[in-house]
Amino acid sequence: MLLSIAYDGRNYHGFQVQKNAVTVEEVFQDALVRVFGARLPVKGCSRTDSGVHANQFCISMKTESRIPCERVIPAMNTNLPPDIAVTDCREVLEEFHARYSCIGKEYLYRILNRTARDPFSEGRALHYPYPLDTELLRTACRDFAGYHDFTAFCSSGSAVEDTRRTIFRANVERKGDFVEFRVAGDGFLYNMVRIMTGTLLEISRGSIPVEGIPEILESRDRRRAGPTAPAWGLYLNRVFYSESELI
């Protein structure tokens, strides 16, 4: 069974269960106990940091229960807190794994770009009161696309050996007072999207030239990229399991 959930990450220390912190996985499994009568093991499509949100996060699990998918959704939502919701449920093959069957993800970073703060987007978007040239940033972020070594866009402390990833597309759009950076790829390193966002903000400030991303990539030097943008503007937006979804 594959379930898609959405959640507001403000009250959680990421997805994966931790000993001394409340996580999305822990709360989700609590609901499973009430619906299925057992604390079923689950496989998440990704790890998310404390404060990061998800518009789509996928979880696979095995169960012998005969509860049909259409009944699982309301049953789970009745037993989940308001900041977590099951949005889809479907049957999958037994060998399906939410993480290892995934062929790509799309992340969204939301920026409130106006002088005044917005209390309704507090904790859900980065407030950036200085002007942002979306055309400039759109031009710059195109250089993320392709197969590259993203060492310069990975936080220190990551244990990943292969730092090469393929970015299918990257784009910046303005929607009213909000500027949205969307990036889709076959995988992402630790804090990669947040560092990408921080780099784009440095380009906007003029601290990094608009054509500077290829040189930063080639350098493989974390110090050449921008700062890590705060977690609360980041959303896991979509999870892809077939090539047709990537188009």
Side-chain angles (χ1 to χ4, degrees):
M1 185 175 288
L2 178 66
L3 296 96
S4 294
I5 66 172
Y7 60 82
D8 180 333
R10 289 179 297 171
N11 293 323
Y12 304 100
H13 289 258
F15 174 75
Q16 195 168 26
V17 166
Q18 299 179 31
K19 288 184 179 179
N20 301 311
V22 178
T23 66
V24 175
E25 182 178 17
E26 176 188 350
V27 173
F28 184 82
Q29 287 184 305
D30 289 344
L32 288 178
V33 172
R34 292 188 285 270
V35 174
F36 291 93
R39 197 169 193 84
L40 301 172
V42 299
K43 306 297 181 183
C45 65
S46 180
R47 296 181 180 182
T48 56
D49 290 336
S50 178
V52 173
H53 315 290
N55 290 323
Q56 182 188 25
F57 188 101
C58 293
I59 299 170
S60 57
M61 65 181 195
K62 296 179 181 179
T63 175
E64 296 180 357
S65 171
R66 295 184 178 180
I67 303 175
C69 278
E70 61 269 20
R71 290 181 57 195
V72 169
I73 296 174
M76 286 294 292
N77 286 337
T78 298
N79 289 281
L80 284 167
D83 54 6
I84 303 175
V86 175
T87 58
D88 187 59
C89 179
R90 52 180 144 154
E91 299 290 343
V92 290
L93 297 175
E94 186 174 353
E95 62 269 21
F96 187 94
H97 192 290
R99 179 180 176 188
Y100 298 122
S101 299
C102 173
I103 63 170
K105 301 182 184 77
E106 180 184 78
Y107 282 91
L108 162 68
Y109 198 97
R110 299 186 75 231
I111 301 170
L112 174 65
N113 186 217
R114 70 182 194 189
T115 303
R117 293 187 298 107
D118 174 17
F120 299 106
S121 63
E122 189 70 24
R124 295 192 181 100
L126 171 65
H127 177 222
Y128 189 82
Y130 311 106
L132 286 175
D133 184 338
T134 53
E135 287 297 328
L136 178 79
L137 298 183
R138 187 178 297 119
T139 298
C141 76
R142 287 173 185 154
D143 288 326
F144 286 131
Y147 179 69
H148 305 291
D149 186 327
F150 282 94
T151 299
F153 293 88
C154 178
S155 288
S156 60
S158 173
V160 175
E161 293 183 4
D162 186 0
T163 52
R164 295 166 295 180
R165 298 290 187 272
T166 298
I167 296 300
F168 305 125
R169 55 182 178 269
N171 192 36
V172 173
E173 285 185 292
R174 178 175 289 278
K175 296 183 177 180
D177 289 330
F178 289 89
V179 171
E180 297 185 346
F181 170 48
R182 294 174 188 261
V183 56
D186 63 358
F188 293 87
L189 303 174
Y190 182 48
N191 283 342
M192 181 170 155
V193 179
R194 291 167 60 188
I195 297 170
M196 286 175 157
T197 303
T199 301
L200 290 175
L201 293 178
E202 288 298 291
I203 289 173
S204 178
R205 292 188 184 103
S207 302
I208 295 175
V210 66
E211 68 278 4
I213 289 174
E215 187 176 337
I216 296 170
L217 287 165
E218 190 174 350
S219 75
R220 302 181 185 178
D221 184 351
R222 172 65 188 91
R223 296 169 297 179
R224 299 285 299 275
T228 305
W232 58 81
L234 183 62
Y235 296 72
L236 176 55
N237 197 46
R238 293 180 65 194
V239 184
F240 305 117
Y241 290 104
S242 68
E243 291 185 5
S244 61
E245 293 178 306
L246 291 171
I247 299 174

